[in-house]
Amino acid sequence: LAKTTQPISMDSYEGQEVNITCSHNNIATNDYITWYQQFPSQGPRFIIQGYKTKVTNEVASLFIPADRKSSTLSLPRVSLSDTAVYYCLAMDSSYKLIFGSGTRLLVRP
Amino acid sequence: DVKVTQSSRYLVKRTGEKVFLECVQDMDHENMFWYRQDPGLGLRLIYFSYDVKMKEKGDIPEGYSVSREKKERFSLILESASTNQTSMYLCASSRPGESYNEQFFGPGTRLTVL
């Protein structure tokens, strides 16, 4: 049975780089790993997705090792507005979507 | 701007009532999803649909049913609401293929069952 595990919470300061890691075993070998951001009273918002190695877009980078048993979301130079809950999403070997339980990031001034 | 809308932001119902949660997307997406979100448990998939009149059970379908008569609309039905169905309900949509996991979410409906 696939499972995704994330830290419950993280603290950081403005301007720092934040790395949030999600562990995921027994995921599908041919599907993307996806990360979302959620603010209070809103639905999650897509940030980035990748299949392997490294992906970068205008807001984040995603690192996925060759064994795909984990993924790390990297937020460069966070600001107060990055305070949110971050979720990883993967698909298990029977093609069921599995969300992590979320990491609450608090960015302090 | 792409949009997923849900019929209510807040809803209060009584035990045993039949409850309808509506979701509409304007992106012509094939896939639509219903999740519930509870503290400490993240998002759990209730049902999804990959085409009109098609539906698949997610992780926690018990006590729920769905309807997709039109491509843009996906309804979640609680046949007989119970207090353990008090939760935040989120609807999402996505395109097929590589964009399957790039889901667009609505703002959510916070349902309270008394």
Side-chain angles (χ1 to χ4, degrees), chain A residues 8 10 14 18 22-23 27 36 42 69 79 87 96 102:
Chain A
I8 293 173
M10 296 180 71
E14 279 191 294
V18 171
C22 178
S23 299
I27 63 168
Y36 289 82
Q42 294 184 23
K69 290 188 176 180
S79 64
Y87 292 94
K96 276 192 170 177

Side-chain angles (χ1 to χ4, degrees), chain A residues 11-96:
Chain A
D11 277 20
S12 183
Y13 291 91
E14 279 191 294
Q16 288 188 333
E17 178 185 74
V18 171
N19 295 308
I20 306 173
T21 297
C22 178
S23 299
H24 28 73
N25 58 357
N26 295 324
I27 63 168
T29 56
N30 57 349
D31 197 54
Y32 287 95
I33 295 160
T34 312
W35 283 80
Y36 289 82
Q37 176 191 55
Q38 186 178 26
F39 297 113
S41 302
Q42 294 184 23
R45 183 176 70 99
F46 172 89
I47 303 174
I48 194 168
Q49 73 176 9
Y51 178 66
K52 58 183 177 181
T53 62
K54 179 183 174 182
V55 178
T56 297
N57 63 18
E58 63 275 9
V59 298
S61 294
L62 180 60
F63 301 90
I64 301 170
D67 65 8
R68 288 171 41 91
K69 290 188 176 180
S70 66
S71 59
T72 299
L73 175 71
S74 180
L75 304 172
R77 298 179 300 281
V78 292
S79 64
L80 297 177
S81 63
D82 292 317
T83 292
V85 180
Y86 293 83
Y87 292 94
C88 61
L89 170 65
M91 188 175 282
D92 72 11
S93 52
S94 57
Y95 302 104
K96 276 192 170 177

